[in-house]
Amino acid sequence: MTAAHAKASVALVGAGPGDPDLLTLGALRALQAADVVVHDRLVGPEILALIPPTARRIDAGKEGFGPSTPQPTIHAAMIDAARDGAFVVRLKSGDPGIFGRLEEELDALDAAGIPWRIVPGLTAASAAAAALGQPLTARGRNGALTLLTAHDLQGFADQDWRALARPGAVAAIYMVIAASRFLQGRLMMHGAAPDTPVSLVENASRPDQRIHAATLASLPAAAAACAGPAVILWGLAPRAARAALPAIKEA
Ligand code: SAH
């Protein structure tokens, strides 16, 4: 065990988007050293299988804790275990600092005087863009990338739709399925072209990954076809299949 895995402390660890290959070595080492793991619903079975059998697992997403475990319950689980002397891993999907309510958890740990550190992870947008065969930024196309959510605690989120509606804008939009009509309406209202490419990547990096190539006009229909977690890549279309297969030569 290293100082990074000290007893009576918490590591807030990113699990990546699902494929265990996309876990960092730091995340794996923290999991292997954990006495207690408090994990989210979105962390998949292949990653949970890496938790040592000796570690206590607390599912902060499902029955028992309820479909959406209240934040104070999660805070109490981490704090109680750390006070009992455990090295606690708080395992969150993707990067813990992106739409992960990390701030609230850090505030709670600070208030309890529990030492913590953050182990960053690969966010869903990175895996989704890789699945499309697209860079998230490209010279001459977009020199800025926005990560946004269509939802906040109050409901639909207010964003700078005008900036997103400009030609060439690229954004990764999280927590989006129920908000697709809202998004479509806002972007059209601010002048985005109905044929702007929009790709939905469902279950990015997982065995059941699906890519839904759509446009702003067909976004709600594509969103309705998604069953799992999905991220929208606004302004990006999948790179042509032929370009992704360099071995195929022109006849
Ligand atoms: N911290 C996470 C995001 C958590 S918010 C990260 O950095 O990726 C939950 C949202 O993330 C989901 O609603 C979905 O929009 C997105 N998401 C998480 N995992 C995903 C995956 N494997 N494929 C597509 N979207 C995913």
Side-chain angles (χ1 to χ4, degrees):
M1 180 183 311
T2 66
H5 304 144
K7 295 289 181 190
S9 78
V10 176
L12 301 112
V13 175
D19 180 350
D21 276 5
L22 302 181
L23 204 65
T24 66
L25 269 182
L28 181 61
R29 288 188 179 127
L31 281 180
Q32 287 171 339
D35 301 308
V36 175
V37 179
V38 182
H39 69 86
D40 277 351
R41 186 172 42 95
L42 268 180
V43 177
E46 286 179 273
I47 287 176
L48 296 180
L50 300 171
I51 300 173
T54 49
R56 184 155 68 91
R57 267 194 221 185
I58 300 176
D59 183 338
K62 282 204 193 110
E63 289 305 319
F65 266 77
S68 57
T69 307
Q71 279 298 135
T73 313
I74 297 174
H75 301 164
M78 291 192 289
I79 291 166
D80 291 350
R83 281 195 176 137
D84 283 348
F87 170 56
V88 181
V89 168
R90 171 70 177 112
L91 190 62
K92 299 163 88 70
S93 80
D95 182 277
I98 297 180
F99 306 125
R101 303 187 73 171
L102 182 63
E103 176 100 342
E104 291 161 66
E105 298 187 6
L106 299 181
D107 284 348
L109 292 170
D110 279 342
I114 308 282
W116 51 262
R117 76 191 172 97
I118 297 169
V119 180
L122 205 106
T123 192
S126 296
L132 294 187
Q134 283 281 6
L136 284 169
T137 63
R139 249 191 233 204
R141 185 190 70 199
N142 67 306
L145 167 72
T146 309
L147 302 182
L148 69 136
T149 175
H151 269 293
D152 59 22
L153 288 176
Q154 278 72 49
F156 291 141
D158 206 16
Q159 303 286 359
D160 186 355
W161 306 115
R162 185 177 304 276
L164 284 183
R166 288 196 194 110
V170 173
I173 311 178
Y174 291 69
M175 293 181 279
V176 76
I177 295 309
S180 63
R181 282 201 180 279
F182 164 80
L183 266 177
Q184 185 192 42
R186 283 290 187 278
L187 287 162
M188 284 194 166
M189 194 202 299
H190 288 92
D195 62 354
T196 305
V198 181
S199 299
L200 285 88
V201 183
E202 180 185 1
N203 290 312
S205 87
R206 299 179 185 188
D208 48 359
Q209 169 179 292
R210 288 201 301 165
I211 294 172
H212 307 263
T215 61
L216 181 54
S218 63
L219 168 61
C226 290
V231 72
I232 283 183
L233 293 177
W234 165 251
L236 293 184
R239 196 177 173 88
R242 186 191 310 210
L245 294 171
I248 297 177
K249 294 212 170 71
E250 294 291 340

